[in-house]
């Protein structure tokens, strides 16, 4: 079988660290072209734009998008109009409207789209689903605390209008929880702590519930310098499953379970390959929708200014 | 043909002023029962809750919901689970997630759902669509300025988290614009002016664009005491159509056109009747999605405190 001929748009840190190694390690894909306005990707044809790559480049079956979410809608739409399968880094778009429009466009075009919620491919997620299949949950608690100063130095766009603030890491937790739970989650209330010199929250507390009444809370903190924590607790009453390290570690009733090593992006590209083979889409807007609903329904509290 | 046996949930001002007169003037409907915790509706069976109405009341085909959007999701879901057609006052729910879940539930149940964007039934909207069918727009401008002090005295919930603020009237404009335009609109940027003692904006400026690049601006003001204005201008370059008075007046290139008298709710109930007859749904989330995206992607500017 011929490999899937893949183009990559955007060759920044996430493309270099994660996408290219995952693609090149998977014989089902052949990385044929890169569109970038920065440094070129070695060993493949480089182009200054998606339009140039599509018109002057090698034949492509699929395109992966690693540019920032602002402006990404137009690019992905262009690729879909050209009949290409698309993989779109998280968060898929700058607004929910754009993301929903891409879902419709991919469906109408009959091509494969994947909104790349990479945390869903953490090694603990599939075992958590298997554990849950035999149980009924009583509650879910998310605790997601990390240091923006450590992980995002100088990235002021996180704090501007349209930036996700603490939801930049928090949306990873929401992507796992919504994958594990079968029914959609609703934001009942949210408290967003917004530094007085920023537009986006630096911390948030969410109270959510699904259609069958399951309470889900999330405690998100983005200025947490010590003991960083990426934890999801699934409480089934007689048993509690805990994901740690963003899904790379798993314990059941306090007993640590053995998991394969973290390999989110390789697993995600295998999933993309299977979607293309079966002619289906996986474009879940729910994590982004929960963020938009938190901004919409949430109460804002001004807190002290944030300075790096 | 037997009339559609209708139940009404919530018997407040909008139910008394609009729904009940529209239903009683339409022989296709028979108002059989009302669920209310306030004063009873004369001439029909009254119940203290939807659950009581469903279990102890007369047989019903359809239910109209006029309770506040907070808490409405659970009620509408209950009616859908009982196989009833539903009409849901605007805005349909307290969050976008709830609205999307109702769309899915109605579709799966195979019943009719109508999200009741009443402004779409203003007498100028259908003529505007007919005018537009032969033209290509260059721009759309919304100017929506009214006095919250006059229309919503004492309604503090408008300013709380989850309240719509200036989008309470503004969503009517958005519902007309999204009905007139064939392709979805995206929020490119938004400036929200939020009184320092409130959670919701008292004024907003939106810059939107659709998938084919049409610019749409909206200038919304909720503390505008003189010369109130509810205007949508459709600019086709060689011709400009203007809706005023929220769609009750229409002019083309400055010439006022003759329209039938405003009768939004009677027209909306005729639409509901046709949807039921044809077994289809009309549950457009787009106006609510544009509000959520404005809160999500918008920049907030604190302005002076609002006191009635």
């Amino acid at each position: 079988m011929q490999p899937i001929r893949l183009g990559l748009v955007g060759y920044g840190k996430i493309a270099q660290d994660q996408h290219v190694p995952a693609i090149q390690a998977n014989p089902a894909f052949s990385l044929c072209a890169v569109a970038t306005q920065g440094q070129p990707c070695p060993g493949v044809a480089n182009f200054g734009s998606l339009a140039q790559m599509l018109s002057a480049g090698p034949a492509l079956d699929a395109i992966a998008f690693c540019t920032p979410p602002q402006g990404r809608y137009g690019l992905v739409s262009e690729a879909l109009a050209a009949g290409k399968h698309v993989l779109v880094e998280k968060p898929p778009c700058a607004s929910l409207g754009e993301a929903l429009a891409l879902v419709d466009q991919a469906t109408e075009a009959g091509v494969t789209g994947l909104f790349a919620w990479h945390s869903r491919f953490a090694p603990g997620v599939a075992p958590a689903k298997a554990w849950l299949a035999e149980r009924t949950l009583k509650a879910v608690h998310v605790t997601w605390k990390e240091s923006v100063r450590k992980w995002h130095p100088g990235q002021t766009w996180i704090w501007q209008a349209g930036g996700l603030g603490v939801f930049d890491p928090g949306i990873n937790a929401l992507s796992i929880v919504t994958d594990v739970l079968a029914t959609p989650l609703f934001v009942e209330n949210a408290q967003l702590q917004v530094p007085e010199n920023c537009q986006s929250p630096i911390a948030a507390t969410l109270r959510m519930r699904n259609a069958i009444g399951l309470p889900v809370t999330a405690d998100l903190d983005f200025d947490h310098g010590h003991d960083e924590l990426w934890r999801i607790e699934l409480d089934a009453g007689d048993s509690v499953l805990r994901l740690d390290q963003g899904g790379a570690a798993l314990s059941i009733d306090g007993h640590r379970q053995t998991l394969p090593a973290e390999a989110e992006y390789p697993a995600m590209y295998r999933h993309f390959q299977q979607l293309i083979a079966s002619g289906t889409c996986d474009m879940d807007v729910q994590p982004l929708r929960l963020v938009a609903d938190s901004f919409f329904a949430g109460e804002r509290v001004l807190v002290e200014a944030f300075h790096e």
Side-chain angles (χ1 to χ4, degrees), chain A residues 46-102:
Chain A
N46 281 266
F47 299 88
S49 69
L50 170 64
Q52 285 175 24
M53 186 168 85
L54 287 173
S55 63
L60 298 172
D61 304 305
I63 300 180
F65 290 86
C66 305
T67 54
Q70 280 73 18
R72 203 190 271 155
Y73 164 78
L75 296 170
V76 180
S77 179
E78 191 179 341
L80 290 171
K84 310 302 180 191
H85 306 299
V86 297
L87 180 154
V88 187
E89 248 298 346
K90 69 109 205 179
C93 294
S95 71
L96 201 58
E98 293 175 339
L100 290 166
L102 290 180

Side-chain angles (χ1 to χ4, degrees), chain A residues 150-204:
Chain A
K150 173 176 163 187
W151 298 100
H152 298 277
Q155 296 182 16
T156 53
W157 53 267
I158 285 183
W159 304 114
Q160 294 164 2
L164 294 184
V166 71
F167 288 98
D168 184 80
I171 203 169
N172 292 334
L174 296 173
S175 76
I176 294 175
V177 171
T178 51
D179 191 27
V180 166
L181 300 180
T183 52
L185 272 182
F186 311 128
V187 177
E188 292 201 322
N189 62 66
Q191 195 194 64
L192 311 180
Q193 295 182 32
V194 183
E196 59 184 20
N197 61 339
C198 297
Q199 287 289 334
S200 305
I202 196 163

Side-chain angles (χ1 to χ4, degrees), chain A residues 6-12 15-16 20 24 31-58 60:
Chain A
L6 190 79
L8 191 66
V9 179
Y11 187 61
Q16 295 170 37
V20 171
Q24 292 185 331
L31 182 60
C32 300
V34 168
T36 174
Q37 293 171 356
Q39 59 169 306
C41 176
V44 303
N46 281 266
F47 299 88
S49 69
L50 170 64
Q52 285 175 24
M53 186 168 85
L54 287 173
S55 63
L60 298 172

Side-chain angles (χ1 to χ4, degrees), chain A residues 72-155:
Chain A
R72 203 190 271 155
Y73 164 78
L75 296 170
V76 180
S77 179
E78 191 179 341
L80 290 171
K84 310 302 180 191
H85 306 299
V86 297
L87 180 154
V88 187
E89 248 298 346
K90 69 109 205 179
C93 294
S95 71
L96 201 58
E98 293 175 339
L100 290 166
L102 290 180
V103 175
D104 287 345
Q105 193 182 347
T107 306
E108 282 165 26
V111 299
T112 287
L114 173 60
F115 285 165
W117 303 111
H118 61 81
S119 292
R120 291 181 171 179
F121 301 91
V125 174
K129 286 186 194 175
W131 173 88
L132 184 56
E134 300 164 8
R135 290 176 176 81
T136 302
L137 287 177
K138 300 206 176 314
V140 176
H141 305 288
V142 172
T143 317
W144 220 256
K145 302 190 173 198
E146 67 175 56
S147 168
V148 64
R149 301 170 195 273
K150 173 176 163 187
W151 298 100
H152 298 277
Q155 296 182 16

